[in-house]
Amino acid sequence: MNKQKLRRLTMAALCGAVAFVLMYFSFSVPILSPFAEFDLSALPELIGGFILGPAGAVEIIVVKIGLKLLFKGSSSLFTGEVLNLILSLAYVLPALLYYRRNRTKKGAVIGLVLGTLICVVVSIFANIYVTFPVYIQLYGMNWDEIISICSSVNPWITNVPTMVAFSIVPFNLLSRSITSLITLLIYKRLSVPIKKLIQEPGGNENEIQHG
């Protein structure tokens, strides 16, 4: 293993560790979702992914979730972790793959918008057909109780379609939009020193990326 590849893997691990730490600094948005919490753990996934490529982003996400399971365990029979994995991939990979073909600021913006929209769509199906059904089985609940909990913080939620419209969609749209905006504001400042740490003297920037 050459030094650049080792530095690249080390950087992916460090970004994953930072993403894990950021999961601790989370807060709820009760009016949108009494179940989910917002954090900035996707920020290192995006920034690291823009530098290391799609494969690097996947490595960062896996490290983040692995550390979460190692230090905090799972309180949802791994449902929360699976949802985190699915939504992280749905958000980060489209942004990175689009940017890979359009390496401009406009390309980055369009990629982040694309990733946000895909993540919102995936979140609807993942929550309705995976997460909530597992919670219902795990805690002996039913859909009426889920809707009742949501309705207690947002009276516009009266059934599953309104939960999608007034909880799942706005929460994921808001959280991913904030992360995308912060990424655009700080990426350039962070990417230059990170690339210098990874890249071999006289090396090519494209050699950093893998996958």
Side-chain angles (χ1 to χ4, degrees), residues 116-186:
T116 297
L117 295 177
I118 290 175
C119 181
V120 169
V121 172
V122 171
S123 72
I124 296 171
F125 292 95
N127 277 286
I128 297 302
Y129 295 107
V130 179
T131 305
F132 283 119
V134 171
Y135 273 118
I136 287 171
Q137 293 294 322
L138 184 62
Y139 296 109
M141 303 174 71
N142 56 49
W143 274 110
D144 289 337
E145 290 173 305
I146 297 289
I147 299 300
S148 177
I149 293 172
C150 293
S151 181
S152 66
V153 297
N154 187 338
W156 288 358
I157 298 175
T158 57
N159 51 33
V160 172
T162 54
M163 183 175 72
V164 170
F166 299 119
S167 177
I168 296 174
V169 168
F171 177 84
N172 284 279
L173 186 61
L174 178 64
S175 63
R176 302 305 178 182
S177 296
I178 291 173
T179 303
S180 296
L181 179 60
I182 296 174
T183 299
L184 289 172
L185 291 174
I186 68 174

Side-chain angles (χ1 to χ4, degrees), residues 6-26:
L6 179 59
R7 286 196 291 262
R8 181 196 162 280
L9 290 172
T10 301
M11 187 56 64
L14 286 173
C15 288
V18 172
F20 166 65
V21 171
L22 287 174
M23 294 178 75
Y24 280 92
F25 298 93
S26 61

Side-chain angles (χ1 to χ4, degrees), residues 190-209:
L190 295 178
S191 64
V192 173
I194 291 175
K195 287 176 183 177
K196 285 182 179 178
L197 286 173
I198 302 172
Q199 194 171 314
E200 292 279 6
N204 190 301
E205 182 180 320
N206 292 330
E207 294 174 354
I208 298 173
Q209 298 201 5

